[in-house]
Amino acid sequence: MLELPDIMRILPHRPPILLVDRVLEFEAGVRLVATKTISASEPCYTGLADPLHAADYAYPTSLLIESFGQSGALLWLCTAQAKGATVDGTLIFAQARDCTFTGRVYPGDVLRHEVRMDHLVGNNAFMTGETWVGDRRIATMGSVLAVARDEAQLPQSRGPA
């Protein structure tokens, strides 16, 4: 449904931090299914000492959560676009609660994020969902919150000290 160039027109992220490759399904305001292929050339594997055990190549949980969050951002932004609206402000991944991880991910695996929009209140999106590798559920996201805030409301960086 959406390929990488389409995703890059919607999200501000760029490689190596763009962690969604494709959107397979989209139902405005309801759900989105997206994929991310894990490669041995991911930056998180750079500089690892050789030889390592297979378990040492487990994909970091923090990146799995970020990939899910980017899928949620796509659901939110595509929903707004489908309604002829926009989401104004800077999108911020605010929280992830009640997350359960029941499996690990390794190079060669394809993540499939199934994101559901629970509530959309003003500039706050509440989502839940699961992440799968094939028919194996590896994560359940109990509550994910994304917010959009006007840049003037955000703390300003003071730059290097």
Side-chain angles (χ1 to χ4, degrees), residues 17-53:
I17 197 59
L18 178 59
L19 301 178
V20 179
D21 297 328
R22 181 175 288 141
V23 173
L24 304 176
E25 300 175 31
F26 169 69
E27 186 178 348
V30 179
R31 66 187 293 269
L32 178 138
V33 177
T35 63
K36 160 69 175 148
T37 302
I38 306 303
S39 165
S41 62
E42 301 281 342
C44 60
Y45 300 124
T46 302
L48 294 179
D50 287 332
L52 295 175
H53 295 55

Side-chain angles (χ1 to χ4, degrees), residues 60-126:
T61 303
S62 58
L63 295 177
L64 186 136
I65 294 170
E66 175 64 24
S67 181
F68 183 92
Q70 289 179 23
S71 300
L74 283 165
L75 172 57
W76 187 7
L77 295 170
C78 290
T79 295
Q81 187 177 42
K83 294 179 178 182
T86 59
V87 177
D88 296 322
T90 301
L91 262 58
I92 301 168
F93 189 118
Q95 77 172 13
R97 295 172 60 181
D98 302 323
C99 299
T100 305
F101 301 92
T102 55
R104 301 304 305 250
V105 180
Y106 298 93
D109 287 339
V110 177
L111 301 176
R112 186 179 75 252
H113 301 296
E114 298 183 2
V115 184
R116 290 179 301 280
M117 179 79 69
D118 288 341
H119 300 36
L120 189 55
V121 181
N123 280 340
N124 304 288
F126 298 87

